[in-house]
Structure formats: C-alpha cells, structure tokens
Amino acid sequence: MGSLATIAKPWWKDAVVYQVWPASFKDTNQDGVGDIRGVIESLDHIQSIGADTVWMCPIYASPRIDFGYDISDYEAIDPNFGTMADVDDLMQECHNRGMKFIMDLVINHTSDQHKWFQESRSSKTNPKRDWYIWRPAKYDEKGQRLPPNNWRSNFVGSAWTWDETTQEYYLHLFAPEQPDLNWDNLKMRKAVYDSAVRFWLEKGIDGFRIDTMTIYSKNPALPDAPITDPTSEWQSGRKWYGDQPKVFEILKEITAITSQYGEKMTVGEFGALKNLNVALDYVGASNRCVGMGFQFETVCVGYALNHWHIRNFSLQEFKQTFGKWQQFVEETDGWTCAFLENHDIARSVSRFGNDSPRYRATSAKMLAILLATSTGTLFLYQGQEIGMTNVPATWPIEEYLDISSQNYWKSVKTATDDKAVLDGALANIRKVARDHARTPMQWSDKPHGGFTTCGKGPWMRTNDNYVDISVEKQAHDPDSVLSFWKQMLALRKQYSDIFVHGTWRTMDVENPATMTFVKQAEGEKALVVLNFTDQPQPVKIPEDFRGSKPLITNLNQWYPETLSAYEGRVYVA
C-alpha cells in the first residue's frame, strides 16, 4: 500500500469527538424533544470529559421520516431543534472554548419534500427531472409492472417507488421518502455544493461527517444485482453502487471546496467496506478525498447494518477486525478512527461488555481503555461516557421507533404468524436495533432521567435504568465510568505519540478471552491487557514491562499474573 516518509498531523488527528444525537440529548423548552440550546448548556460537561470537538447529527429542516437524514432544506433548521441563531450561538460557544464543531453532510439523497424533488417529480420535462434517478417500468410475461431492477432498499423491500404523476419509478437506497440524487448531473452537483457545503463553511463550521459516502455514484446501466439472498425478491445492489470510480471524483470536489476554508475535518462512512486498498483510495492524504472513514467491520461483527441476519461472534473475530483497521495506517498516508458506538448501532457495553449491574461499570471502563489507547481520531457517543446500556429486554416492539426496526418487524409479521419466527425477529431487534442508541440522555435520577420536564414525557421512552446510571450520579464519584473516561482521555492526551499515533501489535490473536496489544512510538511503548469475560484469566506480562506497576487499571485491586473479570490495564515502558 506504499510508504510515506513523513505523515502530516492536522488538528483532527488528535481530536476527541463527542457525537450528539440532538433529539435525545437535552430538552430545554419542555416539548419532549432535545434541542440546540440543550447542547449549548452541556458544553461544559462535554469539554470536561476531554472531548474537544462536537459532532451534531442532522438538525436541518426535515419531515423526520428517518430522524433528520431526510433533508428538505440544507439551509434551514428544523424548528423542533431551534433556530439558525441557535446554531450560530452553538458554533460560537464551541469556538470560545477552543472546541471545534462539525455537522452531518447528507447528500446521497434528499427528502421527497425538498423543493428539488418536488420539481423533479412534477413532469418528465422539468429542468430538474434528471437531478434524481428516474426509470420506466419493466413488465413481466403477464404484463405486470415491475421496478427497473431487483435492488433492495437498506430499509427493506425494493429500492424503487412508482410515481403516479409521471408514470415512472425513482430510486431510493433507503426509505421511499429519501430519493437518491443523480450525481451524474453536474448542475445538481453544483447546487448541492453551494447549499449543503459552502453555505455551512461560510458560517464557520469546522468540518463534516459525510453520510453514506461510498454510494453516491451508481452504475448508469443500473443492472440487476447478483442473487445473494435466495429467500428474497430483492438483492443488494452494492456491486453496482458501492465504491464506483466516480465517487472518488465527487469526494475530491468536496475536499477542494473545504480546503478553501482552511484545515477542515472530513470523516465518511465506509459502510460495508472491508478492502483496505479501497479504503486507502478514500483516506490516503495524497488522494485528497476524505480525512478518514468509519469502519463498520468491528462494530457490526456478526451482522450487517440495517440487515437482520444476526449470528454469534467470537472475541477472536473482534480482535482481528479491530487490529486490521488499527494497522491499516502504518506505512501509508491514510488515517483511521476509533469508535464503538454511534446513532446506528447498539450500546457497546451491552454488545461487547456486560451490562448486568455487577459488571456494567467495570466492563464499560475496560472498553474505555481499549478506545483511549487506540490509534486514530477518537469518537465518543452521548451516554457512552456514563456506560448507558441497551433498553431492557422486557420492552415491547411498540417502544422501538426507528424506521429500520419497524420495517423489519412489519415485513416479518406480514410474512408469517409463526410465534417462533416472530420471537426470533424480536430477539434480533433487541440485540442490534438502532433504537438502543437513541433513548434520551440520562442526566439525573429525576423523571425521564432529567432529559425533559415535558408533561407528556420525552419523544422516546427513557431507559428504565436512569435511576442508577446518570451524569449527576457519576460526576462526583471517583470510581464512576464518567470519572474513568476523564482519566483515560487525559492519559491519551499525555501519551498521544503512543496512543493516538503509535503502531499496533496484537499479542494474543487466538485467545478467546483476552485482548492484549502493544502500542509503540519512537522510544516509547505501552502494553494493554483486557479481559472480555466474567471469569479470572491468566495474563503474561512481557519481559519489557515486568516489574512495573500499571499506568492505570479499571479495578482498585490487581494481581500480577491474573486478570479479574472485565479487568483492563495499561503498562508503559
């Protein structure tokens, strides 16, 4: 993958980014929905953890079919969240604290309520008709109308919807209310760059998290996808829309714009990408596409995002994928990032740790050690700093509000009334639904976790364990998950050469219970040992680190040759 003698260190490589899901963060106007003022009020909390960058999920004008990822106006703010003046204040308050502020860039698709799509669907001769992807129907031998191809939507069913007005289908890789833009149209491109990119750069934004960055460009022939799921009428068309040559051209154009405004952070979603050579095409500095990409191979081990075929996975698999993307940047001009949670995935302590009352705090701290010692830009999701968990297994399906969860449930229920199949579907939702990350932030043990004082309660039910897990409860407890995160992020900053920029070597690849790795920089190295089980595990400390006490451990008592349940330690030599 080539080598590079010197690797540049822009500010965003050492950043610790705190991701805000605004609807569930903090409600200041008592309407049950989080708002921008709630983020402004909480900047001291965010900064106190050790984060220096705020990433705000979509707050643009939107019908909110997909919680704001269906944008009807890139230059307006959803009144549920506040006003443009509130955003200006938030950005200014971040900058006053020496913090950075980034937002989502959602440009694979718009809302079907966007004025561009409204014009596009009005007639086949409208000047914006070709701003979206329209195709005539196909017909089978019985004369029945069929979509142009067999592509599956990421939200269940066909990726095509019939439009009565103009008697054609339009493409949507997500919900029918999220029509895909046609990136082959250069006028459309310029309009997106002006409205979604330059508009916000002019306001002083520090960068973008780029939604679904690998799928903008579609093979113009729109061929049928290969049959990879014989049980379904619809198939993944990723072969024809993932990582197409033109997508790199588009990302270079975006970077050419952002670079006119100084050093900006860009981080995009790799999605299902597993090929490191292709990943480097995106994030290699010399290619000038994006600064870094989120790899989902680790966080989605055992399943694919928005697809519900879920299997058990081993710690060996987790380690293999984690180490793969850590080492990806060595001897290249690429960059990586470290995360275990975001708005699309279940809570990390429930998925990779142990969320029982006995082990929740210990395992959450163990995962904090893993992330804080990992190479790359660190991303922390709201509530992760206090060890928030998945929702209880007793919650009925009605409490799951995400479009992906509900569409999956409806599709299973439509197909069968077999109790075992329905129970299996509900079990899948309880494991990996996006809803787990979207419950209201738990600020205190007051009603609704202190998220809102709205009489009718929050837009989504607060996790029942807010009485035990909250910011207020942990803020002054030196043994809390929150206090531990503060310690770990302070150490990450102190030892940034090793932790942020160092090389990575996994030492116990085949061990099914522990994760041991060495981080190394010039003249310095660190050993990290982690127990992913609820049983004591033997630990072998290499000669280089023998005789030294751990720099930090997540337990008050430790034994030289044994790791206690969910114990983690860091040694520095």
Side-chain angles (χ1 to χ4, degrees), residues 32 48 50 144 148 166 233 239 274 296 301 336 371 380 517 532:
S48 74
Q144 289 181 308
T166 56
E233 184 179 358
K239 177 180 179 180
K274 296 181 180 180
F296 282 83
V301 62
T336 194
L371 283 174
L380 186 64
F517 55 92
F532 274 76

Side-chain angles (χ1 to χ4, degrees), residues 178-443:
Q178 293 169 292
D180 280 43
L181 288 159
N182 176 18
W183 281 89
D184 289 337
N185 186 302
L186 298 184
K187 284 185 179 178
M188 185 283 298
R189 275 198 211 185
K190 183 181 183 305
V192 168
Y193 296 157
D194 287 346
S195 188
V197 181
R198 279 197 179 88
F199 177 86
W200 288 99
L201 289 167
E202 288 289 336
K203 280 187 158 291
I205 198 171
D206 297 299
F208 297 100
R209 174 265 187 186
I210 305 177
D211 188 60
T212 63
M213 73 169 174
T214 64
I215 65 172
Y216 298 160
S217 178
K218 284 77 177 174
N219 183 302
L222 299 173
D224 274 344
I227 308 296
T228 53
D229 181 3
T231 66
S232 175
E233 184 179 358
W234 313 113
Q235 305 295 318
S236 170
R238 189 171 178 87
K239 177 180 179 180
W240 304 116
Y241 64 70
D243 314 311
Q244 300 294 302
K246 197 167 284 184
V247 81
F248 300 99
E249 172 190 308
I250 296 162
L251 292 169
K252 285 175 184 177
E253 290 175 356
I254 293 170
T255 293
I257 295 168
T258 61
S259 62
Q260 295 168 13
Y261 295 82
E263 199 169 66
K264 302 298 182 183
M265 174 192 284
T266 51
V267 52
E269 283 186 298
F270 279 141
L273 181 63
K274 296 181 180 180
N275 185 314
L276 296 184
N277 290 306
V278 177
L280 193 62
D281 290 339
Y282 283 101
V283 303
S286 54
N287 289 345
R288 297 188 60 74
C289 287
V290 291
M292 56 192 147
F294 290 117
Q295 64 91 0
F296 282 83
E297 204 175 353
T298 300
V299 293
C300 290
V301 62
Y303 79 110
L305 204 59
N306 294 319
H307 296 198
W308 298 89
H309 303 293
I310 299 170
R311 61 172 177 80
N312 293 327
F313 63 91
S314 65
L315 181 61
Q316 293 98 316
E317 282 182 271
F318 178 88
K319 289 190 288 187
Q320 187 275 324
T321 60
F322 203 99
K324 165 186 169 180
W325 288 94
Q326 285 286 287
Q327 294 179 313
F328 158 63
V329 299
E330 295 175 20
E331 302 299 320
T332 77
D333 66 344
W335 191 241
T336 194
C337 53
F339 76 104
L340 286 178
E341 287 189 27
N342 68 24
H343 62 291
D344 278 333
I345 50 184
R347 290 289 183 176
S348 58
V349 70
S350 298
R351 200 157 137 68
F352 305 116
N354 185 325
D355 63 8
S356 70
R358 181 176 180 184
Y359 293 119
R360 180 195 57 81
T362 306
S363 64
K365 293 176 189 177
M366 183 268 290
L367 294 172
I369 292 175
L370 169 61
L371 283 174
T373 56
S374 292
T375 299
T377 304
L378 179 57
F379 286 79
L380 186 64
Y381 182 70
Q382 66 183 50
Q384 188 176 358
E385 75 271 28
I386 57 171
M388 280 178 62
T389 69
N390 283 0
V391 304
T394 53
W395 280 21
I397 187 62
E398 290 75 23
E399 299 288 0
Y400 292 84
L401 306 181
D402 178 48
I403 187 172
S404 182
S405 305
Q406 284 295 335
N407 282 354
Y408 168 59
W409 177 252
K410 286 172 191 169
S411 70
V412 175
K413 209 166 181 203
T414 301
T416 183
D417 57 3
D418 185 308
K419 186 176 184 302
V421 175
L422 291 171
D423 287 348
L426 189 54
N428 286 343
I429 290 170
R430 285 170 174 161
K431 282 177 186 168
V432 299
R434 304 195 302 182
D435 305 80
H436 294 301
R438 301 179 180 190
T439 57
M441 181 72 178
Q442 294 164 209
W443 293 102

